[in-house]
């Protein structure tokens, strides 16, 4: 096995690249993956017999007892046991086949109690899929076992025939391995040429067996993933529940930010303004000049408080976005950026207000990152529509190095987009340029 040293793109660190001198076809019979897959096939037969026997026995017993009250609990217990055996199969496939399959959806019980558990087991699609797997896997496991074992045994036996053919004349009383025989004719593999051909056939069998086993276990992978793993619908439900949690947490964080900004900003200024006006009122008759000066200072505080309220309102939802759409709103954001920004919006119509707002705040946050961290001298914002997706792209010629890692602003931005089935892709090599592409679902504005 040769070792080369290259360089990881963009990082500059040497990385090790291993090249095998032996071709994959010759390595396959000795690789750990091959023996793990073969071990999986060997274990499949006894485990499948156990699962099939348990499933048929419990379901038949439950069906036979349906005329009594015991039928339903026995039926549910059989399905629950199948679910447990399905968990064992997932663990076995994960350990021996390297198959990463998630656990299916758990039982959903609206109430507590034994009857609620029975109802949840019977209503669960996972229970019935596991029962189907327990029944269907036995014939396939038997077929895989027979094919794999025969290929392995015959392959290695023929390959090593030159080492043990002497057994026949020494102990069996014949010249070699019998290829054909009847009452008058007998053909034995006993001369050097025939022994060499036999070993060659064994070599072909031995080299082909790992790929045959791999093809057989591919069917096992499909069965485990399709019948024992989570369905697409349940995975979607879990994803939506996670996204809903992100949306709730984001909304709560925004409310806390608004409350903090009001408390520390405009509210504090208005309290100080009320106190200054109270002092000015007391000095109005005694010292009119001082009162006028205090009123003038209070007037400046009012202007500052109004500006802070405008900024806060713009951070919640800018009026220009509601009145004139993304083009005008993004142009306004770009004008406040510390670097020149070229904005190009090419949309046939306005999207739904929720999508429009998310697009606005995405670009706004990306431009803030450019102002604070990029050290760029130019940036560009492009917005367009592709079929049923709204595309956003923000490019700058800064120093690069941005990444969606834990704890950064881009992480929160990616989570917000993911909550509405959006995608955030960051391409920012060290040294720049940085290209951030966001994708949102397109929903038309409703009148």
């Amino acid at each position: 096995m040769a070792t080369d040293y290259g360089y990881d793109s963009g990082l500059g660190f040497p990385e090790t690249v291993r090249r095998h001198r032996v071709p994959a076809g010759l390595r396959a019979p000795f690789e750990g993956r091959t023996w793990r897959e073969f071990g999986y096939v060997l274990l499949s037969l006894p485990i499948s017999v156990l699962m099939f026997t348990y499933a048929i026995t419990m379901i038949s017993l439950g069906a036979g007892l349906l005329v009594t009250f015991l039928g339903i609990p026995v039926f549910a217990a059989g399905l629950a046991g199948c679910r447990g055996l399905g968990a064992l199969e997932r663990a076995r496939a994960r350990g021996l086949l390297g198959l990463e399959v998630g656990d299916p959806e758990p039982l959903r019980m609206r109430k507590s109690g034994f009857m609620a558990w029975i109802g949840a087991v019977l209503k669960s699609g996972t229970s019935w899929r596991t029962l189907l797997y327990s029944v269907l896997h036995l014939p396939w496991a038997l077929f895989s076992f027979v094919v794999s074992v025969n290929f392995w045994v015959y392959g290695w036996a023929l390959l090593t025939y030159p080492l043990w053919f002497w057994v026949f004349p020494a102990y069996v009383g014949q010249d070699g391995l019998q290829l054909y025989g009847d009452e008058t004719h007998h053909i034995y593999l006993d001369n050097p040429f025939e022994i060499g051909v036999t070993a060659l056939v064994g070599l072909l069998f031995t080299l082909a067996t790992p790929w045959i086993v791999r093809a057989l276990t591919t069917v096992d992978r499909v069965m485990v993933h399709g019948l024992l793993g989570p369905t697409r619908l349940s995975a979607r439900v879990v994803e939506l529940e996670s996204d809903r949690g992100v949306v709730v947490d984001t909304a709560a964080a925004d409310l806390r930010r608004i409350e903090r900004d009001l408390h520390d900003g405009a509210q504090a200024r208005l309290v100080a303004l009320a106190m200054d006006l109270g002092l000015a009122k007391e000095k109005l008759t005694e010292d009119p000049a001082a009162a006028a000066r205090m009123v003038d200072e209070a007037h400046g505080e009012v202007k500052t408080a109004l500006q802070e309220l405008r900024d806060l309102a713009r951070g919640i939802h800018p009026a220009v976005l509601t009145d004139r759409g993304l083009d005008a709103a993004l142009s306004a954001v770009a004008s406040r950026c510390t670097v020149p920004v070229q904005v190009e919006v090419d949309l046939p119509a306005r999207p739904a207000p929720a999508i429009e707002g998310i697009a606005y705040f995405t670009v706004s946050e990306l431009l803030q990152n450019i102002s604070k961290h990029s050290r760029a001298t130019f940036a560009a914002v492009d917005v367009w529509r592709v079929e049923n997706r709204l595309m956003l792209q923000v490019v700058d010629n800064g120093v690069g190095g941005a990444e969606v890692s834990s704890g950064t602003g881009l992480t929160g931005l990616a989570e917000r987009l993911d909550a509405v089935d959006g995608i955030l892709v960051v391409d920012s090599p060290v040294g720049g340029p940085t290209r951030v592409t966001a994708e949102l679902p397109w929903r038309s504005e409703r009148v």
Side-chain angles (χ1 to χ4, degrees):
M1 182 173 60
T3 303
D4 291 341
Y5 293 95
Y7 288 91
D8 190 9
S9 59
L11 298 178
F13 297 108
E15 61 176 4
T16 303
V17 180
R18 297 183 181 274
R19 294 184 296 116
H20 292 275
R21 292 192 178 95
V22 180
L26 298 179
R27 296 197 317 268
F30 308 99
E31 287 182 334
R33 174 183 175 179
T34 299
W35 291 100
R36 287 193 299 270
E37 291 175 342
F38 185 58
Y40 181 89
V41 172
L42 293 180
L43 291 175
S44 289
L45 183 58
I47 293 177
S48 295
V49 170
L50 172 65
M51 294 181 65
F52 182 87
T53 304
Y54 173 82
I56 295 299
T57 301
M58 294 299 294
I59 298 305
S60 300
L61 180 62
L65 294 175
L66 281 178
V67 295
T68 68
F69 176 76
L70 295 177
I72 298 298
V74 171
F75 211 83
L79 292 177
C82 289
R83 290 175 66 101
L85 293 173
L88 172 64
E89 282 293 273
R90 288 193 300 273
R92 190 167 68 96
R94 191 178 297 115
L96 295 178
L97 299 182
L99 178 64
E100 293 299 330
V101 56
D103 295 331
E105 65 276 9
L107 294 177
R108 297 183 178 273
M109 300 172 53
R110 297 182 178 180
K111 300 179 181 179
S112 58
F114 182 65
M115 297 305 297
W117 176 81
I118 292 178
V121 171
L122 294 177
K123 292 179 182 178
S124 174
T126 302
S127 304
W128 296 101
R129 292 197 308 274
T130 309
L131 173 64
L132 182 62
Y133 177 87
S134 302
V135 175
L136 293 181
H137 194 253
L138 176 60
W140 174 252
L142 179 61
F143 174 78
S144 301
F145 181 90
V146 172
V147 172
S148 300
V149 170
N150 275 279
F151 268 88
W152 270 119
V153 171
Y154 279 106
W156 284 104
L158 295 178
L159 178 62
T160 58
Y161 182 62
L163 303 177
W164 59 272
F165 81 97
W166 58 269
V167 172
F168 292 96
Y171 298 102
V172 183
Q174 62 187 39
D175 296 333
L177 184 65
Q178 184 174 347
L179 184 63
Y180 172 78
D182 56 22
E183 295 181 356
T184 58
H185 297 85
H186 299 278
I187 299 177
Y188 299 102
L189 303 175
D190 54 357
N191 60 63
F193 175 76
E194 293 174 346
I195 293 174
V197 171
T198 302
L200 180 60
V201 173
L203 177 62
L204 296 178
F205 270 64
T206 303
L207 295 179
T209 300
W211 306 102
I212 295 174
V213 173
R214 192 161 301 176
L216 295 173
T217 54
T218 299
V219 178
D220 287 282
R221 288 185 173 92
V222 173
M223 294 181 67
V224 172
H225 190 275
L227 295 177
L228 301 182
T231 63
R232 185 174 302 178
L233 178 60
S234 64
R236 179 61 174 164
V237 169
V238 172
E239 180 183 357
L240 290 177
E241 289 178 348
S242 176
D243 292 343
R244 182 181 62 182
V246 172
V247 170
V248 171
D249 294 340
T250 301
D254 289 340
L255 289 176
R256 289 193 298 269
R257 177 182 58 81
I258 294 171
E259 188 275 337
R260 184 176 63 251
D261 292 343
L262 285 173
H263 183 272
D264 297 340
Q267 181 179 343
R269 291 188 181 278
L270 292 175
V271 170
L273 174 62
M275 295 177 62
D276 291 341
L277 289 177
L279 294 175
K281 181 179 178 181
E282 293 178 358
K283 292 189 175 183
L284 185 60
T285 56
E286 299 176 1
D287 190 355
R293 186 172 61 255
M294 296 178 68
V295 169
D296 185 63
E297 293 176 354
H299 183 257
E301 288 291 324
V302 169
K303 291 182 178 180
T304 304
L306 287 175
Q307 183 61 41
E308 290 182 353
L309 289 174
R310 290 192 190 98
D311 295 338
L312 182 60
R314 187 185 296 114
I316 298 174
H317 194 85
V320 65
L321 179 62
T322 303
D323 297 338
R324 300 173 57 188
L326 273 175
D327 195 354
L330 294 182
S331 298
V333 173
S335 65
R336 296 193 297 269
C337 188
T338 58
V339 301
V341 181
Q342 178 183 346
V343 178
E344 183 175 348
V345 179
D346 183 14
L347 296 177
R350 293 183 63 174
I355 299 300
E356 196 174 53
I358 295 174
Y360 170 82
F361 288 112
T362 299
V363 175
S364 178
E365 187 164 344
L366 291 175
L367 290 181
Q368 288 180 14
N369 288 341
I370 291 175
S371 299
K372 295 177 181 178
H373 310 295
S374 70
R375 289 182 287 185
T377 58
F378 175 78
V381 177
D382 291 324
V383 182
W384 71 98
R385 177 184 176 182
V386 177
E387 296 180 352
N388 62 340
R389 308 294 286 182
L390 176 63
M391 308 297 297
L392 314 171
Q393 190 172 84
V394 179
V395 182
D396 69 80
N397 62 347
V399 296
E403 58 182 11
V404 184
S405 58
S406 178
T408 65
L410 291 176
T411 303
L413 193 58
E415 291 176 351
R416 292 192 181 190
L417 293 180
D418 184 64
V420 293
D421 286 339
I423 301 173
L424 185 73
V425 179
V426 179
D427 180 17
S428 181
V430 176
T434 297
R435 185 184 304 272
V436 181
T437 304
E439 182 178 333
L440 290 167
W442 176 276
R443 291 197 289 269
S444 300
E445 182 181 18
R446 295 181 180 179
V447 180

